[in-house]
Amino acid sequence: MSRPDLTLSGNTAVVTGAGSGIGRGLAIAAARRGMAVAICDVNEAQLAETAALVEQAGAVCLARPVDVTNPVANDAFALRVSEQCPPIATLFANAGILRQGSIAELPPAQLRALFDVNVVGTVQTVQSFVPIMRAAMMPAQIVITASTGAMFSYPHLTAYCATKHALWPIADGLRADMEAGPAPIGVSMLMPGPVSTAIFDHSDPGHQASPGSITTDEAAEIAFSGALMNRPYILTHPDFVDQAADHFAATIVRMKSA
């Protein structure tokens, strides 16, 4: 089923991982579009800061501390949103963490945490909210935050890139599922390039922003634009497409010569 145009104003945007970074940018961008905003994060202090900014932008905000790796907490948050908010027009499954280290040396606990939050947490978020969105039978968009790291493997970021690459078939499969279903729900994968956030703070305090970095507000605007157009892939830095084309072409050559 093709997805009709979205109606944002008066409907709800749900954003996970909204305590900082791109999640906070998405929440504020939703508020500026006249949406009700439902946000969650594990960091209660940062979540409260985002909620205040959303309300300053003129929106009603439902904020709840949620660990997306906990399916019971996810379901409870989804139920609260369905009971207290207008219908959901956009679901941003955005919560994510980053850990650095050689894949040969990364502690297993950090590897599990990466996959639990970035992959399992994303799927559990979708599973909690999709039944509610289907029941509403109104046009809606699910946006899964991956990364341009889904297309590459960077030194000391191999595990992080692996989690973001795992989201690629998940987003593609979910999009196909939604297109085959009765509800007009689209699916996009957001693939941010360099964005000025604090995601490196846990692994690399004082990390300097990469050249070409954009602000979280700019990333959020790009995300909303792509969501409105139901783009399967939303890139904040389109030049990464050419880099990916070269990378995959070289990979295919190596596969054929194996």
Side-chain angles (χ1 to χ4, degrees):
M1 170 183 289
S2 62
R3 195 219 66 194
D5 291 344
L6 298 181
T7 299
L8 300 184
S9 181
N11 290 315
T12 298
V14 178
V15 187
T16 68
S20 61
I22 293 174
R24 177 174 288 180
L26 289 166
I28 295 170
R32 290 171 177 163
R33 286 166 168 78
M35 305 184 76
V37 183
I39 58 175
C40 71
D41 200 283
V42 291
N43 189 313
E44 293 190 42
Q46 291 181 342
L47 183 66
E49 291 175 1
T50 300
L53 292 170
V54 167
E55 289 169 352
Q56 287 173 19
V60 174
C61 184
L62 171 66
R64 290 290 181 272
V66 174
D67 180 348
V68 296
T69 68
N70 183 333
V72 174
N74 275 319
D75 286 347
F77 179 51
L79 179 61
R80 184 69 65 90
V81 173
S82 69
E83 291 175 341
Q84 297 187 5
C85 300
I88 298 166
T90 55
L91 168 63
F92 293 96
N94 171 77
I97 61 173
L98 181 147
R99 299 292 183 264
Q100 295 189 88
S102 165
I103 196 65
E105 301 169 357
L106 192 71
Q110 292 192 24
L111 183 64
R112 289 191 198 94
L114 280 165
F115 276 89
D116 282 348
V117 176
N118 296 357
V119 182
V120 178
T122 295
V123 173
Q124 288 180 165
T125 296
V126 168
Q127 290 178 344
S128 294
F129 279 95
V130 160
I132 296 167
M133 297 167 72
R134 277 176 164 160
M137 287 300 293
M138 62 169 276
Q141 192 75 12
I142 299 169
V143 180
I144 292 173
T145 299
S147 167
T148 50
M151 301 183 286
F152 307 99
S153 180
Y154 296 104
H156 298 287
L157 289 174
T158 302
Y160 171 78
C161 292
T163 65
K164 295 303 184 178
H165 184 77
L167 293 176
W168 197 328
I170 288 169
D172 282 353
L174 181 62
R175 185 178 176 94
D177 288 346
M178 295 301 102
E179 288 177 346
I185 302 172
V187 178
S188 300
M189 182 169 71
L190 175 62
M191 304 174 78
V195 180
S196 297
T197 73
I199 195 169
F200 279 92
D201 282 3
H202 182 280
S203 300
D204 185 13
H207 176 81
Q208 298 298 309
S210 302
S213 291
I214 62 175
T215 68
T216 55
D217 285 346
E218 290 172 320
E221 290 299 318
I222 292 169
F224 263 97
S225 176
L228 285 167
M229 298 176 67
N230 191 20
R231 289 180 177 168
Y233 312 112
I234 306 171
L235 278 80
T236 62
H237 294 69
D239 57 311
F240 274 88
V241 173
D242 293 335
Q243 296 181 40
D246 292 341
H247 171 72
F248 291 135
T251 300
I252 290 171
V253 169
R254 290 196 298 270
M255 291 172 69
K256 288 182 175 180
S257 64

